[in-house]
Amino acid sequence: MSRAYGLNAGRPGHHVTDAQVALVALCVVLGVWLGVCPALGVALLAIVATVLIRQRHVLMAMVTIAALVGGAVRSDRDWAGAHLRHADTYSGWALVVADPAVYGSGLRLTVEIDGERLDTWLYGARRNQPSQVQAGEYVWVQGDRRPIRSGARRAALRHVVGRLQAGVVADVDPGSALTRASNRLRTRLRGAADVAMPVADSALFTGLVLGDDAREPAWLVADFRRSGLSHLTAVSGQNVGFMLLAAMPLLRRLRPWWRWAATVGLIGWFMALTRFEPSVLRAGVMAVLAATAHVRGRQATPVRLLSLAVGWLVLSDPFLVWSVGFWLSVAATAGVCMAGPWLFARLPGPAWLRLPLSITLGAQAGVAVPSLLVFHRLPLVTVPANLAAVPVAGLVMLYGIPSALLAPAMPDVLARLLMLPNVVGTRWVATVAQVAGQVEPSPGWGALGWGALAA
């Protein structure tokens, strides 16, 4: 396994196991988390070093210490830089770094000026000014840059260091070629869905395909949370996998290294299309690592790929350690990779039933702790709901992008016929979420049900 990364797996004492790679990634995460607590970091350092050195893994001890210290240093540096450097009046172009988001009666527009991200809040008639602006575009703004008075830490986790009290938000520049291409595709997908589906189903369709859940009504979001299906509207490894599956007939025609280059480019384009959400970052980096191992004629277990992806991403952006979406994605993947095979070998019944059941139960086992800590719930109906919704949602993900891109170029009758599978699939997923949310028992009965299921 380690040969995929240039390690010698054949000699005792030189084989780096998956567990050791996972330990290094864990040390990076702990270093980032404990960066502001040097005493705890030093204590953990001493414990890890003592245990490993006593087992004569001196090199491994040094690597874990370096990972812990590196994570702590990286975290402290990023936190130290999370403040506004330019507090003045600004007039000029600003890069839109996230799609406008509606919160209550206001619209939040996040822009970047002079390398600093700022939030602009618009209310009343001004709220509709940038409603059609998309991430990657530029808007002309005029206003005052000010530090954030409250919620500065929460904003810093989004790399936002200040607030722009804008008096003018006008004129839009479409941005780079990649931005224009991505936004045209997103607009085309939305338009095709709006023509073929009701408003709520159209919003859910773009959520399933692109992770674009900004237009989903509050009642639909509540249904998906109660049923444990919220992960379907967050782009993850499933979306990346279906995207690569759809492109496989073309990729297979290329020579190995050209295929690798095309695969990496396709993954990068899809990550840009889905706004580099934490879950798709994790999935995309894992897919690139897997493609790299494959083109070299090697293999790598999912646990190793996950550990390498987590370590690299957290070092690149330490604030991911405080991202709920990132940890739900990591935990679900870890559960599928570790608990899934164990359950598949032990569950009764035919393989066609054991496979999706073991994957679902493995994912739920992985996300149990973060879900309980953050959302204070772990829906009991999530197992049957996922079994009923995930296969259909997967078909929508696989079929949705090409069909929605072709539909606007066809006559109305043919376009609606082409979009019909998307309409039926999206409505099915929404119905499963609604029914499951309604039959979800009270927390007490839910805990009793989970206990019985575990037993």
Side-chain angles (χ1 to χ4, degrees), residues 43-68:
L44 185 60
L45 246 170
I47 294 172
V48 173
T50 301
V51 171
L52 292 176
I53 291 174
R54 289 180 63 183
Q55 294 182 359
R56 300 183 181 179
H57 294 302
V58 178
L59 180 60
M60 193 63 200
M62 295 174 62
V63 172
T64 54
I65 291 172
L68 193 64

Side-chain angles (χ1 to χ4, degrees), residues 245-260:
L245 181 63
M248 192 56 65
L250 295 177
L251 293 175
R252 282 179 174 172
R253 297 177 179 272
L254 302 176
R255 293 181 179 273
W257 281 103
W258 284 108
R259 184 190 310 151
W260 174 85

Side-chain angles (χ1 to χ4, degrees), residues 31-33 35-36 70-80 318-319 322:
V32 171
W33 186 273
V36 294
V73 171
R74 186 77 170 85
S75 176
D76 282 348
R77 189 180 71 176
D78 277 30
W79 279 116
F319 292 162
W322 290 273

Side-chain angles (χ1 to χ4, degrees), residues 8 25 30 72 91 95 140 151 254 277 301 411 451:
N8 190 339
L30 289 176
S91 178
L95 172 65
W140 181 272
L254 302 176
E277 291 292 327
T301 64

Side-chain angles (χ1 to χ4, degrees), residues 16 56 106 127 149 208 210 232 334 374 426:
V16 179
R56 300 183 181 179
R127 167 180 166 173
R149 295 180 179 178
L208 293 174
L210 298 174
L232 293 179
V374 177
T426 302

Side-chain angles (χ1 to χ4, degrees), residues 14 138 183 221 255:
H14 293 273
Y138 289 84
N183 287 339
V221 174
R255 293 181 179 273

Side-chain angles (χ1 to χ4, degrees), residues 208 232 238-239 242 389-400 429:
L208 293 174
L232 293 179
Q238 188 177 19
N239 299 74
F242 279 122
V390 167
V392 178
L395 293 176
V396 174
M397 295 173 191
L398 181 62
Y399 180 77
V429 174

Side-chain angles (χ1 to χ4, degrees), residues 378-381 383 440-455:
L378 188 63
L380 181 63
V381 296
V383 175
E440 168 65 14
S442 62
W445 284 106
L448 184 62
W450 276 114
L453 184 62

